[in-house]
Amino acid sequence: MTAVADDSATELTSDETVRSGLQLGNRLRGIVLSLLLLGLVGASANIGQLGRLGRITFWIVVVVATSAVVFVSLNLMVSLARRSWTAYRSLTGALLGGIGFGLLRGNRSVGALVADSEFQLILDDGEAIVVEDRALVDAIAKIADPTLIEYATGVIGLVEWPILGAVLGAFAGMATGFADRRVRLAIPTLIGLGGGWIVGGNLLFRNRPDASLTTVAVMTVIGAAVVGGASYLAGKRCVLVERCLLGAALGATAGGWLLPDLSGGSATTSQLVCMIPLGLVGLRFGWPSARDANGMASFDRRARAVIFLAPALTFLTVNLVVPAIRTIITSFQDRDSEEFVGFDNYRELAGSERFLDWRSWSGDDGTWNVLTSRLTWGGLFLIVVGFAIAASINWTRNRTRGLDHSPTSRGSILVGGVLIAFAFFSVIRGTLPNTIWWMFTVTIGATTLGLAMAVLSQKAGRWESIAKSLVFMPMAISMVGASVIWRLQYAPKNTSQKQTGVLNAVWVELGDLSHAGVEGSDYPGWIRWAVLIALGTILARIGFTIWARWQRDEGFAAAGVMAVIVGWLFIEILLRDLGGFQINDDGSIQAEAVAFRELVQPFNNVYLMFILIWIQTGFAMVILSAAIKAVPEELHEAARIDGATESEQFFNVTLPQILPTVGVVLTTILVAVAKVFDIVRVSTGGNFGTNVLAHDFITESFQFLNRGVGSAMAVVILLIVAPVLIFNVFNMQKAES
Amino acid sequence: MRNGNSVIDRAYRKLSNVPMWAMWGIVVIWTIPSLSLFVNSFRSRTRQRQTGFWEALWDNDRNFEAGCPEEYLRDDLFHVLENYCVVLSNDQASGMLTSVISSLAIAVPSTIIPIAIACFAAYAFAWIDFKGRKPLFIATVALLSIPLQVALIPLLRMYLGGAHFTVPFTERTLTLIPDFDLAGGPWAVVLTHTGFAMPFAIFLLHNYMSSLPDELIESARVDGADHFSTFMRLVLPLSVPAIAAFAIFQFLWTWNDYLIAVIMLNSGTPEVFPTTQRIANLAGDFGRTEHLLTAGAFVQAFVPLVVFFSLQRYFVRGLLAGSVKG
């Protein structure tokens, strides 16, 4: 995909990695053993759990071993084909015959010896009744005295059906090994006809097709013509006859089974209808001549491709593609998926305030709330400042009008943009804007913080790996666990109690500090002044740094950010406005905690988003850190010789080099966030205006039991993610060629 | 700026190194939440409710209130571990042991089965030359970005009642997959995980297998090895690092999954709930068991953390090799 993937691939193939792979094997064994031991120790307290562990292990082993045996034997079968074509064909025939006849029996199309056979009773007045229960037959026989009882039971039983199929198939396969072409064609055809005769004769009454032979004949010809014609047009002339035979068999099946009504046909018809397709299949089976070495190789390739791919493609189709298509179909159906309703579900979704809520868009007096929001003006201010800085840099450097962006200007424009976006998200509510807000915030937040960690940790020397491990650790914690962890951090307690959550404890303490000396605060008044003086000193120092760097024409982004933070603290403490407090009537203050998850709507969403940022930052950091390390040292060297500062090196050398990786990180996180469910579920249950599409979809489908609208929500998620999908596939094709 | 070498100058340089402070700031902020969970999991119900975790530094207590059976309280260690003692017991209301086993029953097969299946497919895409290989591979990887939600409900219906197909223009319904009554049991979750893991696993393993040297595979073919033995004897052993990377990734993913479990197991008995579902239910039930949530969440996170810290290198490698997983 990118430089990262290529790099890791080459790294993976080195000898060192193979050795480390072996080491890993040992370590894995250690872990598995200790886990088992742990389980045993834990389980020893309770024998019942031990038994359950044993049962589960047994079933896992059985399933895995069976699948392995099937896979290996199929491969051995194909290997056998090289040595003995006849043996291979017999085995294939036996397998196909056995499975085919077994399926017929399993679907209860053909009769069996005792248990669920059928009886047809022809009563005196000529009416025919089909009964499945022998006791019932006897009861009816006593009352109605039927003239004829016909048994649809064969002499062939449950187990005998597949065996019979296997034997017939094996003989047919063996016959295809004969050198004489007439024998090769005749025997499988005869076996096919015979098999059809047996199956047709044993069909249960309810499955006897009321077919007309003309239809069967016409459909046979049509099938042969269609499949053969397609094969001819595709340029496969060497297998034309085989394709025609296959098409004929398919056509005969359709004409005999799909078009006419089932049940009501005579025994002879059903026998004929079985014999025609099976005979054609037999003929097709015997048609090809023995293969030369070249044909053998291509057969081997194709057979292996099928065996190796079939399990994966089956899972992909059954578990992913078909369900996705079904969801798209149900999104156009009513709540019980019975009638098609067109776009009604989407219309209902778009019209509901749960999905998209414009009520906060304008205030009572008709003003736009976006324009009265402090976020908008703060954001606009930052953007203006950013452009002003860029223009002034350009002016000092080149004495021309225009823009010359520095990290400071870019940073403030970016932050300003984020603030304005937040302003919009805070007035347009509903699950759709919330989902997009999540995607926006978490993607930008995690990527920026991850990039910062990746860059900063490089200079941490021997502490680098520890620092990175600690930031990376949340990746191993489940979103449910993370939500529980952050519930502890966000926990609010009412005014009379001590705060148990870190954030509220700090916030309430800050409120106390900024009101030091006021009735109700724990701090004496001088502390506030001491803090103000300290902050003022720091502010002055930062101001001096900025001025000095400005004079030397150097960047001052970090110092600028520091100045903003410290300046904000200074002003807030000066104005006695910082922290969680409330002012009583008598002027004394009282602690007031923030109910982060519940009451601070709509910004409680941001606090939930931070949980995911906490998880995803480590991911972004690891990927970006690897990309940064892959940037060739010579580039930095050259930049250093040209006199670039470290931040210039980062923005002009490193960042352009790792840009594709940043793209990968962004898209990966974007797709992950679109599906966020666990955090919302555990933290708020979707209440307090924090619902997102992926969570609401569950509520709609399982609580409101509206499958139509629920599916429509899933499709909306798919549509949000689809651009990323197209982007990924596009990138991939570029990388492949 | 000062460039001297005296103690004061060095200290000044350290203190004025703002980027370093910013980094450690992030590290501390990222560590405190996990630390608070860990510390609180050893504290009693009253302490957890009344004071913050940091007060454990000077306000140590013996944990007497969780309700652990008398016979476990033999010495001091068990007093501190009392929350864990309850959480790891077989208590129906708050015990996690059952769900730990259920999680294993889901995570272990959901790791092994996709690896096996994806290895076959990755080998076929990398080394077997068949028609339509490239478009098929691209289609497979394109499925990476399909959100789970799109497929979940029809899958659940399939596990509840099998798969049936009504032939168009006729009234006939064919049973394609009979009803195995899988919903409500771990195999439904395992099969779902297997399907969803497929695109990523194939992508990752294919990237690795196709980077193996051509000459190696060719020489094996010249020696008369067919695809099966080339795969089993050569490619599979060489791919152990990539397989390990994916295995760790998949194990963490399945152990930590909540969405698939909650949908597929909703109709099952609480016995089959994995740890995540258990914790989520405990979290939704304020009151008696709230103080056990911390110990429970730590038990839930313990297994992935062990896997993570002991095999971090391989995990990182897996992330690097296939950072497109959604």
Side-chain angles (χ1 to χ4, degrees), chain A residues 284-309:
Chain A
R284 156 75 186 77
F285 207 53
W287 192 269
S289 45
R291 287 163 189 263
D292 53 3
N294 211 357
M296 202 64 206
S298 91
F299 159 78
D300 188 73
R301 262 205 314 277
R302 264 184 295 140
R304 302 286 181 187
V306 169
I307 296 175
F308 275 71
L309 281 176

Side-chain angles (χ1 to χ4, degrees), chain A residues 608-671:
Chain A
L608 297 194
M609 290 170 206
F610 192 77
I611 303 178
L612 195 54
I613 294 181
W614 183 68
I615 295 176
Q616 295 283 359
T617 297
F619 166 75
M621 175 194 73
V622 164
I623 308 273
L624 294 172
S625 175
I628 289 173
K629 292 210 163 117
V631 175
E633 186 51 32
E634 298 88 65
L635 291 179
H636 289 292
E637 201 67 45
R640 258 198 298 278
I641 290 168
D642 286 349
T645 63
E646 290 212 2
S647 72
E648 278 170 350
Q649 275 181 44
F650 173 74
F651 282 99
N652 299 331
V653 179
T654 315
L655 200 55
Q657 286 280 321
I658 63 167
L659 220 48
T661 316
V662 174
V664 171
V665 171
L666 284 174
T667 51
T668 311
I669 300 182
L670 210 60
V671 173

